Amino acid sequence: MPRESLPLECLLNILHFLANQNPCNADTMTRLLRVSKTFCAATLPFLYEDCFETCIRKHHAYPLKYTIATATRMIRTLLRQVHPQNRIPDLLRVAYLSQDDQDDLESMDKQSPSPPVFKYGRFVRRLVLRDSYTFFDIKLVMEYANTHQLFDQYVAEGVLSDNIHDKSKGKAFQDALKMDIHRQLIWMLCQDHMDTIKELSIPLIDIERYIDHANQFTSLSKVTFACDHGRYLRGYNNRCTPGMLQFVQQHTLLHKNVLRYVEAYHHMTPDLCFEIQALLPLLHNPRSIASSNWINFVGRLKDTNLNHVESITLDKNTEEHRHRGWGQKEEKAYEIYRNQPFLPRCRVLKELKMYTLGPDMFQWAVQEKKQRDEARQQKRITSQYASTRQHEYHDNDLVSLIPLRSVVICAKTRSQIPVQEVNDIAFAFSDTLENLFMPEEWSKSRDENGNLASTPQVAYGRSWDLPRLRNIALNVSDFQLYFDMNGLGRCRSLVRIRLHDEIKLYNHQEVRSWSSVSLPHLKLLDLQGSPALHFNMDSLHHSPRLKTLRLRIQPMAHGGRNYHFIPSAEELERDDSDNQGTGINDVSGIPGSNQALDSIGRRPRYTWDWYLPKLSSVWLSAVFAFKFDFQWLQHLPNLEDIHLELKSCRNNNSSVTHERHITLKDISRRQQLHQQDEDGSEETLSDLFISLPKLVSMYFYGRWKFEEKVVETICSSVAPNLKNAQFGCAGIKLEKSTA
């Protein structure tokens, strides 16, 4: 097909795909400009719509120098079309227009280039220049600035402080130059095309100039008031913050319902923030609530239609908030939410991520669930005695519940663990919930030793019945995590389980096993702390699809190093003749109390006879590594990597550290090793030792002692494809040893 006959819709779809690639295929789009006038006219809007972001995304695939060169060419092209009446400042000429000819700053004024075929500036829709974008040679700019004494000029204008330390002058001066170049560049690029700009970054230091031209921004829908970052620049910005409100007031008065989003990260007080948001139009049927529109949403909470909201992401621990900072306006927004809860109005909500607001955060959902269950039971009873078809029972006649599928509930502090909230979520959304996460908090633990006996409990899982739950991850720090395994057993679709706490010290005699459960779909089991100690290992007999197993204890600092607490060998080897019972089946204490776990149940047993044909990764530490039986490896035909951490230290109950001595008998298939028959013939190694053909990584951390020829036998016979290994405290590089 000739290129001229290619339908315009097909060409636009191709260009849309190229423009949204990450990294953006800017080179390919640039080549399309030379194909024909049709291709050029169709490509230019995609190439220049967000020219700065196009160059930055290209940096992911090409070296930085190519990104700078591409951006410089695009900026030079746009600056060449600036109206002659708007003279380009000398600082911009040095930064962009005169990089190829640094000796002639007046060359652009003398040249009279032919007019371009297209006005490229008309295609720019998003003009956002972040402070990290430096598309010029800073050394050349610094040379020009020192020659023209711009430092003294900035001090006189109040941009820089006059009492800067000598060591900080260079950095402060560079920040001021970058800010000045960004300020001038944005103004030069937008002043001839204000009516087509949809998203604009306005430097606060230049806010007055934009206020005077607010009437010309007829298409502006989003504005970001950029803080001129730098240690010695913020004082000037604070004097410019009232101009933000004045610009928004003037723009919304002249162009109603056009400007919808206003952002200013670090320099907008809560009162100013909500005053600005009150001027903006309502969010039109939002489908998601996130940090980008959270403040705008809360400012008009009562009037916003929430019937289409499917996702809410309001977690202050996200990467975005770590970069932006969780300011006072966000905290005030949450205070407004506490007085005006909006979650009950989101009737199609599917994903929720936010931190807890208190134990009664989801009580409304619990009441809805109870009322629906009561109505369903009443209808069933009525249908049993109904004699006509019109009284037949249907679930569609009941009020529908919110179809919540994924929940991430975060604790604001370590002491404010969302216990009631998580249990309420499990009860209220039991019919639809698929993912339940409670990530670890940030703050430092108050109990460095993490003693099991003195740590209060938090209990989950009682009366849980979640047939669709596939992933669960609960992390607590200053509490002992208890989970009702009967409730976990009713979650028949579980694929991944992560239960973590920071218990470090414990009394081995007080450890009791939880009840055994069947988890036929489980693929990942990651337990740390008390969940690992109390887990009933017999459950592994009913998890044939398990691929990853991690049983660990949080290490504690001792003598500048990290060690694990391990009970004495005598205590571990003691015969538990009274070890009877079926395990702990109920929660004995109230979450948050100091009451110990119920003593009903037997001590954990480690039989090491679990056949797990799909298990590929094993990570054991502390007591689990000390009691590890190498004969178990015979039941793991697909094992690929194994980590065993055995780092113990002297404690009050033991005067020696724990050590494991590995002999050929441990890796043998038989209990007794016969190297030779009576006639002197040797047995084949394949029959003699355990075979792990897929094992590629094996790590033994801590005090492991190997008998002579054990390491050689492991590398040659047990795991012939081993690539990475560490035996004891010193690592062994197999490549060097076999060379």
Side-chain angles (χ1 to χ4, degrees), residues 668 670-677 681-684 688:
S668 173
R670 304 171 182 176
Q671 296 298 326
Q672 295 182 353
L673 182 63
H674 301 283
Q675 295 183 349
Q676 291 183 347
D677 295 333
S681 62
E682 297 184 357
E683 297 183 6
T684 60
L688 197 60

Side-chain angles (χ1 to χ4, degrees), residues 549 615-620 628 632 636 639 641-644:
L549 175 64
L615 189 65
S616 61
S617 177
V618 176
W619 192 318
L620 306 177
F628 178 76
W632 181 45
L636 311 178
L639 187 64
D641 65 89
I642 180 171
H643 296 246
L644 300 176

Side-chain angles (χ1 to χ4, degrees), residues 573-592:
E573 295 175 358
R574 186 176 304 166
D575 184 19
D576 300 326
S577 59
D578 57 344
N579 190 6
Q580 304 294 331
T582 58
I584 302 175
N585 295 309
D586 196 8
V587 180
S588 61
I590 300 175

